[in-house]
Amino acid sequence: ERYIRGIIKMKNLLELAKFKGLNSIEELLEAELNSLYNIKFKGQKKNLAQKLNNLFDGYFLENFNRKEYGNFLSRALTAYVLSKHFNIPEEEAVKYITDDVHDLGIDAIYYFNHTLYLFQTKFSNSISRNDIKEIKDGIKNLLSLEESFENFNDHIKAKKLNLQQFLLEDELKIIPVIIFFGQQTPIDVTTFLQQEIVDNPDYGAFIDEYIIINNENIFNYEIQHPN
């Protein structure tokens, strides 16, 4: 009797899969799991947006039109990660944000312990090769200082003297930090990042690693001790 019931359930599931345009029960299960994840993701994203509003309203929030609010969330997320990852106050973290027109993919610059961290942030559930290309071009311009440094916005230009001092250090390392509010980093993106930035001979010995921060890391900041 259990066997017959199992067969009937399998048949019903297969019919449901076909009704939804899917070829198998496995595809149906995967689609349902993705649907549940998307519902959970939207809730998490809404909660994070509210948290960022509470923490950084008055720093980045110019107004609530769609474009400016997107800019606010991206800047606030960068500052939030900076604050949690390096255990510094939120009001200090905002000082390192460089996200604006002509940032060339560098949304924040933070120096700590002979290491220059360069941030690229997207408040979205994905990251693309174009995003990596932006920060790659930004690093190239930053390292040139005299040749093409004028391409940057005023936030980055204001850091020129400090950057000159940092780049003279024998032990200096540069670590790109990619932040996005998603779960999986596409393989082609990590491959592109490794090939175009870490293995790029133009950057010499400055870069030999990178950091990717996703939504799992972001939520862990709430439950773990500061790094």
PDB file of all heavy atoms in Angstrom, residues 139-166:
ATOM      1  N   ILE A 139      42.560  50.369  -9.959  1.00  0.00           N
ATOM      2  CA  ILE A 139      43.862  50.062  -9.348  1.00  0.00           C
ATOM      3  C   ILE A 139      44.999  50.541 -10.245  1.00  0.00           C
ATOM      4  O   ILE A 139      45.983  51.111  -9.772  1.00  0.00           O
ATOM      5  CB  ILE A 139      43.977  48.544  -9.083  1.00  0.00           C
ATOM      6  CG1 ILE A 139      42.965  48.121  -8.016  1.00  0.00           C
ATOM      7  CG2 ILE A 139      45.390  48.180  -8.634  1.00  0.00           C
ATOM      8  CD1 ILE A 139      42.845  46.615  -7.849  1.00  0.00           C
ATOM      9  N   LYS A 140      44.838  50.324 -11.540  1.00  0.00           N
ATOM     10  CA  LYS A 140      45.873  50.750 -12.490  1.00  0.00           C
ATOM     11  C   LYS A 140      46.079  52.263 -12.427  1.00  0.00           C
ATOM     12  O   LYS A 140      47.215  52.757 -12.392  1.00  0.00           O
ATOM     13  CB  LYS A 140      45.479  50.329 -13.906  1.00  0.00           C
ATOM     14  CG  LYS A 140      46.530  50.644 -14.958  1.00  0.00           C
ATOM     15  CD  LYS A 140      46.095  50.114 -16.321  1.00  0.00           C
ATOM     16  CE  LYS A 140      47.157  50.416 -17.377  1.00  0.00           C
ATOM     17  NZ  LYS A 140      46.755  49.907 -18.714  1.00  0.00           N
ATOM     18  N   ASN A 141      44.977  53.016 -12.389  1.00  0.00           N
ATOM     19  CA  ASN A 141      45.080  54.476 -12.299  1.00  0.00           C
ATOM     20  C   ASN A 141      45.651  54.911 -10.969  1.00  0.00           C
ATOM     21  O   ASN A 141      46.433  55.865 -10.892  1.00  0.00           O
ATOM     22  CB  ASN A 141      43.703  55.114 -12.507  1.00  0.00           C
ATOM     23  CG  ASN A 141      43.310  55.220 -13.968  1.00  0.00           C
ATOM     24  OD1 ASN A 141      43.557  56.221 -14.621  1.00  0.00           O
ATOM     25  ND2 ASN A 141      42.704  54.171 -14.484  1.00  0.00           N
ATOM     26  N   LEU A 142      45.284  54.226  -9.918  1.00  0.00           N
ATOM     27  CA  LEU A 142      45.766  54.587  -8.586  1.00  0.00           C
ATOM     28  C   LEU A 142      47.275  54.390  -8.475  1.00  0.00           C
ATOM     29  O   LEU A 142      47.986  55.218  -7.918  1.00  0.00           O
ATOM     30  CB  LEU A 142      45.041  53.762  -7.535  1.00  0.00           C
ATOM     31  CG  LEU A 142      45.282  54.119  -6.066  1.00  0.00           C
ATOM     32  CD1 LEU A 142      44.022  53.883  -5.249  1.00  0.00           C
ATOM     33  CD2 LEU A 142      46.419  53.286  -5.489  1.00  0.00           C
ATOM     34  N   LEU A 143      47.766  53.284  -9.016  1.00  0.00           N
ATOM     35  CA  LEU A 143      49.199  53.004  -8.930  1.00  0.00           C
ATOM     36  C   LEU A 143      50.020  53.982  -9.753  1.00  0.00           C
ATOM     37  O   LEU A 143      51.203  54.213  -9.466  1.00  0.00           O
ATOM     38  CB  LEU A 143      49.474  51.569  -9.391  1.00  0.00           C
ATOM     39  CG  LEU A 143      49.018  50.454  -8.444  1.00  0.00           C
ATOM     40  CD1 LEU A 143      49.235  49.082  -9.067  1.00  0.00           C
ATOM     41  CD2 LEU A 143      49.758  50.542  -7.117  1.00  0.00           C
ATOM     42  N   SER A 144      49.425  54.558 -10.785  1.00  0.00           N
ATOM     43  CA  SER A 144      50.180  55.480 -11.632  1.00  0.00           C
ATOM     44  C   SER A 144      50.418  56.821 -10.924  1.00  0.00           C
ATOM     45  O   SER A 144      51.396  57.502 -11.189  1.00  0.00           O
ATOM     46  CB  SER A 144      49.437  55.731 -12.943  1.00  0.00           C
ATOM     47  OG  SER A 144      48.285  56.508 -12.721  1.00  0.00           O
ATOM     48  N   LEU A 145      49.505  57.207 -10.021  1.00  0.00           N
ATOM     49  CA  LEU A 145      49.564  58.458  -9.270  1.00  0.00           C
ATOM     50  C   LEU A 145      49.717  59.692 -10.179  1.00  0.00           C
ATOM     51  O   LEU A 145      48.779  60.444 -10.365  1.00  0.00           O
ATOM     52  CB  LEU A 145      50.663  58.413  -8.211  1.00  0.00           C
ATOM     53  CG  LEU A 145      50.321  57.635  -6.934  1.00  0.00           C
ATOM     54  CD1 LEU A 145      51.464  57.695  -5.945  1.00  0.00           C
ATOM     55  CD2 LEU A 145      49.057  58.179  -6.284  1.00  0.00           C
ATOM     56  N   GLU A 146      50.877  59.906 -10.739  1.00  0.00           N
ATOM     57  CA  GLU A 146      51.108  61.127 -11.506  1.00  0.00           C
ATOM     58  C   GLU A 146      50.464  61.076 -12.895  1.00  0.00           C
ATOM     59  O   GLU A 146      49.927  62.065 -13.370  1.00  0.00           O
ATOM     60  CB  GLU A 146      52.611  61.385 -11.644  1.00  0.00           C
ATOM     61  CG  GLU A 146      53.324  61.607 -10.323  1.00  0.00           C
ATOM     62  CD  GLU A 146      52.735  62.770  -9.536  1.00  0.00           C
ATOM     63  OE1 GLU A 146      52.203  63.700 -10.146  1.00  0.00           O
ATOM     64  OE2 GLU A 146      52.796  62.725  -8.293  1.00  0.00           O
ATOM     65  N   GLU A 147      50.529  59.933 -13.567  1.00  0.00           N
ATOM     66  CA  GLU A 147      50.096  59.848 -14.958  1.00  0.00           C
ATOM     67  C   GLU A 147      48.597  60.036 -15.132  1.00  0.00           C
ATOM     68  O   GLU A 147      48.145  60.827 -15.948  1.00  0.00           O
ATOM     69  CB  GLU A 147      50.519  58.493 -15.559  1.00  0.00           C
ATOM     70  CG  GLU A 147      52.030  58.318 -15.642  1.00  0.00           C
ATOM     71  CD  GLU A 147      52.380  56.930 -16.136  1.00  0.00           C
ATOM     72  OE1 GLU A 147      51.520  56.288 -16.758  1.00  0.00           O
ATOM     73  OE2 GLU A 147      53.507  56.485 -15.892  1.00  0.00           O
ATOM     74  N   SER A 148      47.811  59.312 -14.373  1.00  0.00           N
ATOM     75  CA  SER A 148      46.362  59.352 -14.609  1.00  0.00           C
ATOM     76  C   SER A 148      45.553  59.510 -13.332  1.00  0.00           C
ATOM     77  O   SER A 148      44.353  59.235 -13.319  1.00  0.00           O
ATOM     78  CB  SER A 148      45.927  58.076 -15.345  1.00  0.00           C
ATOM     79  OG  SER A 148      46.410  56.924 -14.680  1.00  0.00           O
ATOM     80  N   PHE A 149      46.180  59.974 -12.271  1.00  0.00           N
ATOM     81  CA  PHE A 149      45.480  60.124 -11.003  1.00  0.00           C
ATOM     82  C   PHE A 149      44.384  61.179 -11.083  1.00  0.00           C
ATOM     83  O   PHE A 149      43.398  61.121 -10.349  1.00  0.00           O
ATOM     84  CB  PHE A 149      46.472  60.484  -9.894  1.00  0.00           C
ATOM     85  CG  PHE A 149      45.954  60.226  -8.514  1.00  0.00           C
ATOM     86  CD1 PHE A 149      45.979  58.952  -7.967  1.00  0.00           C
ATOM     87  CD2 PHE A 149      45.407  61.253  -7.758  1.00  0.00           C
ATOM     88  CE1 PHE A 149      45.488  58.704  -6.695  1.00  0.00           C
ATOM     89  CE2 PHE A 149      44.915  61.022  -6.478  1.00  0.00           C
ATOM     90  CZ  PHE A 149      44.950  59.740  -5.952  1.00  0.00           C
ATOM     91  N   GLU A 150      44.544  62.130 -11.982  1.00  0.00           N
ATOM     92  CA  GLU A 150      43.556  63.202 -12.121  1.00  0.00           C
ATOM     93  C   GLU A 150      42.222  62.692 -12.652  1.00  0.00           C
ATOM     94  O   GLU A 150      41.223  63.420 -12.641  1.00  0.00           O
ATOM     95  CB  GLU A 150      44.096  64.297 -13.041  1.00  0.00           C
ATOM     96  CG  GLU A 150      45.260  65.072 -12.452  1.00  0.00           C
ATOM     97  CD  GLU A 150      44.902  65.711 -11.111  1.00  0.00           C
ATOM     98  OE1 GLU A 150      43.852  66.375 -11.033  1.00  0.00           O
ATOM     99  OE2 GLU A 150      45.668  65.531 -10.148  1.00  0.00           O
ATOM    100  N   ASN A 151      42.176  61.451 -13.116  1.00  0.00           N
ATOM    101  CA  ASN A 151      40.914  60.876 -13.590  1.00  0.00           C
ATOM    102  C   ASN A 151      39.954  60.590 -12.445  1.00  0.00           C
ATOM    103  O   ASN A 151      38.758  60.389 -12.666  1.00  0.00           O
ATOM    104  CB  ASN A 151      41.168  59.573 -14.359  1.00  0.00           C
ATOM    105  CG  ASN A 151      41.942  59.799 -15.637  1.00  0.00           C
ATOM    106  OD1 ASN A 151      41.857  60.875 -16.232  1.00  0.00           O
ATOM    107  ND2 ASN A 151      42.689  58.798 -16.077  1.00  0.00           N
ATOM    108  N   PHE A 152      40.471  60.557 -11.214  1.00  0.00           N
ATOM    109  CA  PHE A 152      39.642  60.205 -10.066  1.00  0.00           C
ATOM    110  C   PHE A 152      38.810  61.390  -9.582  1.00  0.00           C
ATOM    111  O   PHE A 152      39.107  62.551  -9.884  1.00  0.00           O
ATOM    112  CB  PHE A 152      40.527  59.717  -8.909  1.00  0.00           C
ATOM    113  CG  PHE A 152      41.049  58.325  -9.087  1.00  0.00           C
ATOM    114  CD1 PHE A 152      42.409  58.092  -9.225  1.00  0.00           C
ATOM    115  CD2 PHE A 152      40.200  57.227  -9.098  1.00  0.00           C
ATOM    116  CE1 PHE A 152      42.907  56.814  -9.369  1.00  0.00           C
ATOM    117  CE2 PHE A 152      40.687  55.938  -9.237  1.00  0.00           C
ATOM    118  CZ  PHE A 152      42.039  55.722  -9.374  1.00  0.00           C
ATOM    119  N   ASN A 153      37.797  61.061  -8.749  1.00  0.00           N
ATOM    120  CA  ASN A 153      36.976  62.106  -8.140  1.00  0.00           C
ATOM    121  C   ASN A 153      37.727  62.773  -6.976  1.00  0.00           C
ATOM    122  O   ASN A 153      38.820  62.345  -6.592  1.00  0.00           O
ATOM    123  CB  ASN A 153      35.624  61.540  -7.678  1.00  0.00           C
ATOM    124  CG  ASN A 153      35.757  60.453  -6.622  1.00  0.00           C
ATOM    125  OD1 ASN A 153      36.639  60.494  -5.767  1.00  0.00           O
ATOM    126  ND2 ASN A 153      34.884  59.459  -6.675  1.00  0.00           N
ATOM    127  N   ASP A 154      37.108  63.796  -6.402  1.00  0.00           N
ATOM    128  CA  ASP A 154      37.776  64.569  -5.349  1.00  0.00           C
ATOM    129  C   ASP A 154      38.001  63.760  -4.075  1.00  0.00           C
ATOM    130  O   ASP A 154      38.932  64.032  -3.312  1.00  0.00           O
ATOM    131  CB  ASP A 154      36.964  65.825  -5.026  1.00  0.00           C
ATOM    132  CG  ASP A 154      37.001  66.843  -6.155  1.00  0.00           C
ATOM    133  OD1 ASP A 154      37.920  66.749  -6.995  1.00  0.00           O
ATOM    134  OD2 ASP A 154      36.109  67.717  -6.200  1.00  0.00           O
ATOM    135  N   HIS A 155      37.117  62.770  -3.807  1.00  0.00           N
ATOM    136  CA  HIS A 155      37.288  61.940  -2.606  1.00  0.00           C
ATOM    137  C   HIS A 155      38.626  61.197  -2.643  1.00  0.00           C
ATOM    138  O   HIS A 155      39.322  61.087  -1.632  1.00  0.00           O
ATOM    139  CB  HIS A 155      36.156  60.911  -2.495  1.00  0.00           C
ATOM    140  CG  HIS A 155      34.790  61.522  -2.489  1.00  0.00           C
ATOM    141  ND1 HIS A 155      34.383  62.430  -1.553  1.00  0.00           N
ATOM    142  CD2 HIS A 155      33.730  61.326  -3.325  1.00  0.00           C
ATOM    143  CE1 HIS A 155      33.119  62.775  -1.794  1.00  0.00           C
ATOM    144  NE2 HIS A 155      32.711  62.117  -2.867  1.00  0.00           N
ATOM    145  N   ILE A 156      38.965  60.691  -3.821  1.00  0.00           N
ATOM    146  CA  ILE A 156      40.214  59.927  -3.959  1.00  0.00           C
ATOM    147  C   ILE A 156      41.406  60.874  -4.098  1.00  0.00           C
ATOM    148  O   ILE A 156      42.482  60.630  -3.541  1.00  0.00           O
ATOM    149  CB  ILE A 156      40.125  58.958  -5.150  1.00  0.00           C
ATOM    150  CG1 ILE A 156      38.987  57.958  -4.914  1.00  0.00           C
ATOM    151  CG2 ILE A 156      41.451  58.219  -5.354  1.00  0.00           C
ATOM    152  CD1 ILE A 156      38.774  56.958  -6.030  1.00  0.00           C
ATOM    153  N   LYS A 157      41.222  61.976  -4.816  1.00  0.00           N
ATOM    154  CA  LYS A 157      42.312  62.947  -4.964  1.00  0.00           C
ATOM    155  C   LYS A 157      42.768  63.473  -3.605  1.00  0.00           C
ATOM    156  O   LYS A 157      43.962  63.736  -3.398  1.00  0.00           O
ATOM    157  CB  LYS A 157      41.866  64.117  -5.837  1.00  0.00           C
ATOM    158  CG  LYS A 157      41.753  63.786  -7.315  1.00  0.00           C
ATOM    159  CD  LYS A 157      41.271  65.012  -8.084  1.00  0.00           C
ATOM    160  CE  LYS A 157      41.075  64.703  -9.556  1.00  0.00           C
ATOM    161  NZ  LYS A 157      40.537  65.879 -10.286  1.00  0.00           N
ATOM    162  N   ALA A 158      41.833  63.593  -2.675  1.00  0.00           N
ATOM    163  CA  ALA A 158      42.167  64.111  -1.344  1.00  0.00           C
ATOM    164  C   ALA A 158      43.085  63.162  -0.581  1.00  0.00           C
ATOM    165  O   ALA A 158      43.734  63.568   0.388  1.00  0.00           O
ATOM    166  CB  ALA A 158      40.889  64.353  -0.539  1.00  0.00           C
ATOM    167  N   LYS A 159      43.166  61.928  -1.021  1.00  0.00           N
ATOM    168  CA  LYS A 159      43.992  60.926  -0.344  1.00  0.00           C
ATOM    169  C   LYS A 159      45.345  60.743  -1.036  1.00  0.00           C
ATOM    170  O   LYS A 159      46.113  59.846  -0.682  1.00  0.00           O
ATOM    171  CB  LYS A 159      43.257  59.578  -0.306  1.00  0.00           C
ATOM    172  CG  LYS A 159      41.911  59.636   0.407  1.00  0.00           C
ATOM    173  CD  LYS A 159      41.222  58.273   0.385  1.00  0.00           C
ATOM    174  CE  LYS A 159      39.842  58.340   1.014  1.00  0.00           C
ATOM    175  NZ  LYS A 159      39.888  58.692   2.446  1.00  0.00           N
ATOM    176  N   LYS A 160      45.649  61.592  -1.996  1.00  0.00           N
ATOM    177  CA  LYS A 160      46.841  61.387  -2.824  1.00  0.00           C
ATOM    178  C   LYS A 160      48.125  61.360  -2.003  1.00  0.00           C
ATOM    179  O   LYS A 160      48.975  60.475  -2.184  1.00  0.00           O
ATOM    180  CB  LYS A 160      46.929  62.466  -3.905  1.00  0.00           C
ATOM    181  CG  LYS A 160      48.102  62.248  -4.863  1.00  0.00           C
ATOM    182  CD  LYS A 160      48.071  63.245  -6.009  1.00  0.00           C
ATOM    183  CE  LYS A 160      49.232  62.993  -6.956  1.00  0.00           C
ATOM    184  NZ  LYS A 160      49.218  63.941  -8.111  1.00  0.00           N
ATOM    185  N   LEU A 161      48.313  62.297  -1.112  1.00  0.00           N
ATOM    186  CA  LEU A 161      49.549  62.352  -0.322  1.00  0.00           C
ATOM    187  C   LEU A 161      49.713  61.096   0.532  1.00  0.00           C
ATOM    188  O   LEU A 161      50.811  60.530   0.627  1.00  0.00           O
ATOM    189  CB  LEU A 161      49.559  63.603   0.563  1.00  0.00           C
ATOM    190  CG  LEU A 161      49.719  64.935  -0.170  1.00  0.00           C
ATOM    191  CD1 LEU A 161      49.666  66.098   0.822  1.00  0.00           C
ATOM    192  CD2 LEU A 161      51.026  64.963  -0.952  1.00  0.00           C
ATOM    193  N   ASN A 162      48.633  60.668   1.155  1.00  0.00           N
ATOM    194  CA  ASN A 162      48.696  59.434   1.947  1.00  0.00           C
ATOM    195  C   ASN A 162      49.005  58.234   1.074  1.00  0.00           C
ATOM    196  O   ASN A 162      49.810  57.373   1.450  1.00  0.00           O
ATOM    197  CB  ASN A 162      47.372  59.210   2.678  1.00  0.00           C
ATOM    198  CG  ASN A 162      47.193  60.153   3.852  1.00  0.00           C
ATOM    199  OD1 ASN A 162      48.171  60.636   4.428  1.00  0.00           O
ATOM    200  ND2 ASN A 162      45.955  60.437   4.194  1.00  0.00           N
ATOM    201  N   LEU A 163      48.376  58.178  -0.091  1.00  0.00           N
ATOM    202  CA  LEU A 163      48.614  57.056  -1.000  1.00  0.00           C
ATOM    203  C   LEU A 163      50.072  57.030  -1.457  1.00  0.00           C
ATOM    204  O   LEU A 163      50.676  55.960  -1.590  1.00  0.00           O
ATOM    205  CB  LEU A 163      47.672  57.146  -2.205  1.00  0.00           C
ATOM    206  CG  LEU A 163      46.202  56.848  -1.911  1.00  0.00           C
ATOM    207  CD1 LEU A 163      45.328  57.237  -3.105  1.00  0.00           C
ATOM    208  CD2 LEU A 163      46.012  55.363  -1.590  1.00  0.00           C
ATOM    209  N   GLN A 164      50.633  58.202  -1.711  1.00  0.00           N
ATOM    210  CA  GLN A 164      52.045  58.265  -2.099  1.00  0.00           C
ATOM    211  C   GLN A 164      52.937  57.677  -1.010  1.00  0.00           C
ATOM    212  O   GLN A 164      53.889  56.941  -1.296  1.00  0.00           O
ATOM    213  CB  GLN A 164      52.444  59.708  -2.385  1.00  0.00           C
ATOM    214  CG  GLN A 164      51.914  60.246  -3.699  1.00  0.00           C
ATOM    215  CD  GLN A 164      52.246  61.710  -3.902  1.00  0.00           C
ATOM    216  OE1 GLN A 164      52.243  62.498  -2.952  1.00  0.00           O
ATOM    217  NE2 GLN A 164      52.535  62.097  -5.138  1.00  0.00           N
ATOM    218  N   GLN A 165      52.636  57.992   0.234  1.00  0.00           N
ATOM    219  CA  GLN A 165      53.412  57.451   1.353  1.00  0.00           C
ATOM    220  C   GLN A 165      53.243  55.936   1.454  1.00  0.00           C
ATOM    221  O   GLN A 165      54.218  55.203   1.662  1.00  0.00           O
ATOM    222  CB  GLN A 165      52.970  58.111   2.653  1.00  0.00           C
ATOM    223  CG  GLN A 165      53.307  59.583   2.737  1.00  0.00           C
ATOM    224  CD  GLN A 165      52.780  60.232   4.005  1.00  0.00           C
ATOM    225  OE1 GLN A 165      52.013  59.624   4.748  1.00  0.00           O
ATOM    226  NE2 GLN A 165      53.186  61.469   4.260  1.00  0.00           N
ATOM    227  N   PHE A 166      52.013  55.461   1.292  1.00  0.00           N
ATOM    228  CA  PHE A 166      51.762  54.021   1.387  1.00  0.00           C
ATOM    229  C   PHE A 166      52.520  53.257   0.303  1.00  0.00           C
ATOM    230  O   PHE A 166      53.127  52.213   0.565  1.00  0.00           O
ATOM    231  CB  PHE A 166      50.262  53.723   1.245  1.00  0.00           C
ATOM    232  CG  PHE A 166      49.403  54.354   2.301  1.00  0.00           C
ATOM    233  CD1 PHE A 166      48.084  54.679   2.033  1.00  0.00           C
ATOM    234  CD2 PHE A 166      49.905  54.638   3.570  1.00  0.00           C
ATOM    235  CE1 PHE A 166      47.272  55.255   3.000  1.00  0.00           C
ATOM    236  CE2 PHE A 166      49.104  55.217   4.545  1.00  0.00           C
ATOM    237  CZ  PHE A 166      47.792  55.532   4.251  1.00  0.00           C
TER     238      PHE A 166
END
